[in-house]
């Protein structure tokens, strides 16, 4: 299986034009329709095991750090979702939390957030690169270009399916800590208590609604980001990407990430509310919670989530791309139409 994945990576139309042998020799094989420069000799080989592992490391750093950074806003958002009668709005939620729990109360749930989203980030970004390469190879160069948005959607959905399995136990503990006063003060207290009361299913009863929240979110996150980057370089940035400095490229990454984040928050919000309420309500199913909330109830806390997810997504992409720059991980340029397709379509 892994041999097939590596072969797929090396043949992908999304790959950078460099191979290890070419880098060692200091030469570059031309890619049809592209003008390229020589690769740095220390650049990681695209499609190698090291490449995929380092992409996973980038996911750990980007997701773990950013989600932990916004724990106070996430805590208030969750409390708004499960008890809007008490926490009337974002500002009132912060004020009430500070009054009841002090400043330390705003960082409740930081540990399951950090460990959960670090694990999720490793699978999300690492497997996205794997699936994108594999699916591109299955489609072939021309179809991978023509149907690239579907490729992004399929690769991100596949990656998130596995990422949520890693996240689910930590997300369940986080919600218990943040929304059930007196239940537990930290992850060390919450997890054994959950296991004792409900068994192993305490950690996975929210997995299906988590999939319903995270898979659409991640599909939007990756597909919207990829397309926005493509459009920004085509219509907004006044020069080609290969002529932009690394700093300028990271600014484009941040802008595209924020735009993608806003759409992510809207698409995934109803399922996010259900997940928060489900982990608070013992013995309830996702359908029961959805019926109880009603249509309007599933949009509680939307504005703080837009702010949180927009910032979060922008920072994640910025950090992930920054890690790629720092570790010399190949960063493929925006996709270009293959020469063979240009000839078929009569495009100059």
């Amino acid at each position: 299986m892994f041999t097939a994945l590596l072969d797929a990576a090396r043949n992908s139309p999304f790959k950078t034009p460099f191979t290890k042998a070419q880098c060692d020799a200091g030469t570059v094989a031309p890619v049809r329709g592209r003008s390229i420069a020589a690769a740095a000799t220390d650049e990681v080989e695209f499609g190698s095991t090291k490449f995929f592992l380092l992409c996973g490391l980038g996911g750990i750093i980007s997701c773990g750090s950013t989600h932990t950074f916004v724990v106070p806003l996430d805590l208030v958002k969750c409390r708004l979702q499960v008890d809007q009668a008490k926490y009337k709005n974002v500002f009132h939620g912060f004020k009430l939390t500070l009054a009841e729990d002090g400043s330390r109360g705003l960082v409740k749930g930081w540990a399951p957030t950090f460990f959960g989203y670090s694990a999720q980030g490793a699978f999300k970004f690492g497997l996205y690169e794997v699936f994108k390469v594999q699916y591109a190879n299955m489609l072939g160069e021309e179809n991978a270009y023509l149907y690239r948005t579907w490729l992004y959607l399929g690769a991100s959905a596949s990656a998130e399916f596995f990422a949520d399995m890693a996240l689910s136990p930590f997300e369940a503990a986080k919600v218990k800590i943040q929304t059930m006063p007196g239940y537990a003060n930290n992850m060390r207290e919450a997890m054994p208590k959950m296991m004792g009361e409900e068994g192993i299913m305490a950690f996975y009863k929210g997995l299906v609604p988590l999939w319903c929240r995270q898979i659409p979110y991640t599909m939007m996150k990756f597909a919207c980001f990829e397309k926005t980057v493509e459009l920004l370089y085509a219509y907004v940035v006044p020069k080609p990407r290969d002529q932009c400095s690394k700093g300028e490229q990271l600014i484009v990454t941040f802008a595209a990430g924020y735009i993608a984040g806003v759409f992510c928050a809207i698409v995934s919000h109803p399922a996010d509310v259900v997940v928060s309420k489900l982990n608070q309500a013992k013995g309830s199913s996702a359908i029961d919670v959805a019926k109880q909330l009603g249509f309007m109830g599933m949009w509680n806390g939307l504005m703080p989530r837009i702010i949180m997810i927009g910032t979060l997504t922008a920072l994640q992409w910025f950090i992930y791309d920054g890690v790629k720059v720092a570790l010399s991980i190949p960063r493929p340029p925006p996709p270009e139409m293959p020469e063979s397709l240009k000839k078929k379509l009569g495009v100059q």
Side-chain angles (χ1 to χ4, degrees):
M1 175 183 175
F2 291 106
T3 302
L5 288 177
L6 295 181
D7 290 341
R10 294 187 181 98
N11 296 324
S12 168
F14 293 96
K15 63 182 281 188
T16 59
F18 314 120
T19 66
K20 189 175 186 302
Q22 291 164 345
C23 289
D24 291 342
T27 59
V28 178
V31 173
R32 291 174 294 177
R34 295 189 187 181
S35 174
I36 55 178
T41 56
D42 60 348
E43 187 173 73
V44 176
E45 181 185 357
F46 185 89
S48 65
T49 301
K50 184 177 180 181
F51 169 80
F52 291 123
L53 289 175
L54 288 178
C55 287
L57 176 62
I60 290 172
I61 295 170
S62 65
C63 290
S65 62
T66 52
H67 278 277
T68 305
F69 177 73
V70 296
V71 161
L73 184 57
D74 184 45
L75 180 142
V76 172
K77 181 266 300 179
C78 286
R79 290 183 172 181
L80 268 171
Q81 290 172 339
V82 301
D83 193 355
Q84 196 171 30
K86 181 177 180 179
Y87 302 94
K88 296 178 174 58
N89 53 54
V90 179
F91 299 107
H92 183 256
F94 273 106
K95 183 179 178 181
L96 198 56
T97 299
L98 283 169
E100 292 181 345
D101 304 323
S103 57
R104 293 184 65 181
L106 287 174
V107 294
K108 271 190 171 182
W110 74 267
T113 297
F114 174 75
F115 289 109
Y117 283 95
S118 292
Q120 186 215 35
F123 284 92
K124 183 196 300 251
F125 282 92
L127 287 181
Y128 173 70
E129 301 286 359
V130 171
F131 283 119
K132 185 169 72 168
V133 160
Q134 178 73 349
Y135 294 163
N137 187 64
M138 290 167 62
L139 288 171
E141 185 180 32
E142 293 181 3
N143 285 330
Y145 174 80
L146 289 172
Y147 304 107
R148 59 193 181 280
T149 300
W150 290 104
L151 187 149
Y152 304 145
L153 292 169
S156 56
S158 301
E160 189 61 37
F161 178 84
F162 295 101
D164 288 342
M165 293 180 185
L167 171 63
S168 183
F170 299 97
E171 181 74 1
K174 175 186 79 75
V175 172
K176 292 276 191 186
I177 294 167
Q178 291 181 340
T179 64
M180 297 180 67
Y183 184 83
N185 292 317
N186 53 53
M187 189 172 72
R188 291 192 307 274
E189 294 178 12
M191 286 192 156
K193 190 172 181 178
M194 292 167 66
M195 176 64 81
E197 291 180 350
E198 303 177 63
I200 192 68
M201 286 311 297
F203 302 108
Y204 292 99
K205 71 175 185 178
L207 180 58
V208 172
L210 192 61
W211 277 330
C212 293
R213 180 188 83 183
Q214 288 297 130
I215 290 178
Y217 163 84
T218 300
M219 291 170 72
M220 182 65 73
K221 174 179 180 174
F222 282 86
C224 185
F225 172 79
E226 298 269 21
K227 292 297 293 183
T228 302
V229 166
E230 187 178 334
L231 292 172
L232 286 176
Y233 279 113
Y235 300 107
V236 178
V237 180
K239 53 186 176 181
R241 196 182 84 159
D242 58 4
Q243 295 178 21
C244 295
S245 68
K246 290 179 179 178
E248 290 170 334
Q249 291 179 32
L250 289 174
I251 290 172
V252 173
T253 293
F254 185 86
Y258 209 101
I259 292 168
V262 172
F263 287 101
C264 288
I266 295 170
V267 165
S268 63
H269 190 72
D272 182 59
V273 178
V274 171
V275 169
S276 295
K277 193 73 176 176
L278 184 65
N279 283 309
Q280 183 201 42
K282 191 182 296 185
S284 298
S285 68
I287 295 174
D288 293 334
V289 170
K291 287 179 179 178
Q292 180 186 342
L293 288 167
F295 179 78
M296 293 306 297
M298 288 192 290
W299 295 98
N300 290 340
L302 177 61
M303 281 311 298
R305 190 157 189 270
I306 285 177
I307 296 168
M308 183 183 81
I309 296 299
T311 305
L312 203 69
T313 306
L315 286 173
Q316 283 179 3
W317 279 113
F318 184 84
I319 294 170
Y320 181 65
D321 226 21
V323 169
K324 279 191 167 184
V325 170
L327 299 181
S328 299
I329 304 172
R331 301 159 67 230
E336 296 180 11
M337 184 181 293
E339 287 297 319
S340 58
L341 188 59
K342 286 181 180 179
K343 291 177 181 178
K344 287 181 182 179
L345 300 177
V347 177
Q348 299 298 322

